[in-house]
Amino acid sequence: LGFGLELKPCSTDDIIDIAMDGLFFFDMFLCCNEAFTVDGPDDTVTTVTDRTEIFKRYGRSWFLIDFFSTVPFGRIQNLISMGGITCSEDTGKQSGDLTMTRLLRILKLVRLLKLARIFKLTKIMKNVDLDDINPALFSLVTLVFKTVFVAHLVSCFWYFI
């Protein structure tokens, strides 16, 4: 987490974090089963539903980013170092191989690749026709999102100070 915080085992934040990881794994599963279209000659469009072709395409595009950003390397490190799942406050940290610990902490940075999913969203948004949306409703929704984002930034700075 940001600001050097560590989640306590079995806390509400920890459970939410596990649930979010589960949702990202579910998203990976859906992407492995999502048909896609291919433009052919003479303005024909073919829908590809073969799972091997779908997985090959996903493997060449977003699979590695999704995989390395979804796998909870910190949890795996804790499970290995503590020898199992525990909900006690005593984490029982043992003096292990510092090099392995540092490598696993560096792998936590890979989770920032979840931000790369924003590029996926922009690709999807190109296909959305915004002409059918009421301009007043669109302005209202945009204002709400901007307000929530600014409130988030202010609360982060407030916590940081």
Side-chain angles (χ1 to χ4, degrees), residues 4-159:
L5 298 175
E6 291 294 326
L7 296 177
K8 296 176 184 170
C10 297
S11 67
T12 305
D13 294 335
D14 189 41
I15 293 169
I16 290 172
D17 191 46
I18 292 169
M20 292 303 295
D21 287 339
L23 287 175
F24 277 111
F25 275 118
F26 184 67
D27 178 55
M28 285 180 61
F29 172 75
L30 289 179
C31 287
C32 289
N33 293 300
E34 185 178 296
F36 62 93
T37 58
V38 177
D39 294 332
D42 302 327
D43 294 332
T44 60
V45 177
T46 307
T47 302
V48 178
T49 58
D50 181 31
R51 287 185 181 220
T52 56
E53 291 297 319
I54 293 170
F55 189 74
K56 283 179 187 177
R57 182 174 187 234
Y58 181 51
R60 286 189 307 260
S61 60
W62 286 96
F63 178 75
L64 287 177
I65 291 172
D66 288 347
F67 178 78
F68 284 112
S69 67
T70 301
V71 173
F73 292 107
R75 290 191 191 290
I76 294 170
Q77 174 192 4
N78 289 340
L79 288 175
I80 292 170
S81 66
M82 291 188 302
I85 300 172
T86 179
C87 289
S88 66
E89 291 293 324
D90 180 27
T91 57
K93 290 187 179 178
Q94 303 164 353
S95 60
D97 188 11
L98 288 177
T99 306
M100 183 58 120
T101 303
R102 287 184 183 145
L103 284 175
L104 286 172
R105 287 186 183 207
I106 289 172
L107 285 175
K108 282 184 181 179
L109 292 176
V110 177
R111 296 192 76 175
L112 290 175
L113 289 175
K114 287 183 182 178
L115 296 176
R117 292 172 167 262
I118 293 173
F119 294 120
K120 244 190 215 182
L121 184 61
T122 58
K123 198 175 190 181
I124 292 170
M125 287 303 293
K126 287 181 184 176
N127 297 331
V128 174
D129 187 22
L130 296 177
D131 294 336
D132 297 336
I133 298 175
N134 184 351
L137 178 65
F138 185 74
S139 296
L140 179 66
V141 170
T142 305
L143 177 65
V144 168
F145 276 118
K146 288 178 182 178
T147 305
V148 169
F149 179 69
V150 170
H152 170 74
L153 289 179
V154 169
S155 63
C156 286
F157 289 126
W158 183 271
Y159 182 82

